[in-house]
Amino acid sequence: MLDSIKSNLPQLEALLERATSDWEHDDYVYRFYHQSMKVYGVQSMTTTIVKALRALLPEATLNADFVAIVEQGTGHKFSPEANARWHASTRPLLEAFFHARFMLAMVVKFGRQLNAPPEVLPSGWAAVLYLYGLR
């Protein structure tokens, strides 16, 4: 797992930088509060992150809770009816993005910090291990 992260670290770092940028993070949160249909665009970044995370250990089944959050927060298209139930329609989109971005951030953080699996698990690394069913 760690070897896969390290060999893909430059691409993961670039993706994290993009996912943390004004246009891929700040703007989507603003769009939620502004009640703009443009918040639906966050799904593209979420699926891009999840694809990159899956590619690190393709034989692993991702954590069921993570998968459920992502499934509930992706694959949606805006419709005018969504405005009447804005929070129910759009909060899952941001929740999925935040979970995916968190896991990406942890993968990058520990890809930079670790040279071997640690004996004492930092919480962020433990979360990554849970993501891949390794803990």
Side-chain angles (χ1 to χ4, degrees):
M1 175 75 216
L2 191 53
D3 289 341
S4 181
I5 292 170
K6 291 223 176 257
S7 66
N8 289 284
L9 196 54
Q11 299 91 327
L12 295 167
E13 288 173 324
L15 182 56
L16 179 60
E17 184 175 331
R18 188 173 144 213
T20 309
S21 72
D22 292 349
W23 289 110
E24 296 287 351
H25 177 267
D26 301 3
D27 192 64
Y28 288 126
V29 174
Y30 156 69
R31 297 297 175 179
F32 169 79
Y33 287 104
H34 185 59
Q35 293 195 345
S36 167
M37 65 184 258
K38 291 181 181 179
V39 72
Y40 281 77
V42 76
Q43 297 171 99
S44 176
M45 178 51 69
T46 302
T47 56
T48 298
I49 293 170
V50 172
K51 182 178 176 184
L53 292 171
R54 284 186 192 277
L56 292 174
L57 202 59
E59 66 277 8
T61 301
L62 294 183
N63 179 279
D65 292 330
F66 178 82
V67 171
I69 290 167
V70 169
E71 286 177 352
Q72 292 167 15
T74 55
H76 300 277
K77 293 186 179 185
F78 175 77
S79 68
E81 295 78 34
N83 288 328
R85 38 187 210 82
W86 184 254
H87 293 116
S89 298
T90 58
R91 278 178 38 199
L93 308 181
L94 289 177
E95 183 180 8
F97 170 68
F98 292 148
H99 280 263
R101 195 182 73 140
F102 168 80
M103 288 299 183
L104 175 62
M106 292 302 99
V107 163
V108 168
K109 176 181 178 177
F110 291 104
R112 289 174 180 157
Q113 289 182 4
L114 298 178
N115 292 318
E119 289 184 32
V120 177
L121 292 179
S123 295
W125 182 244
V128 169
L129 295 178
Y130 267 111
L131 176 63
Y132 293 97
L134 300 174
R135 178 162 167 84

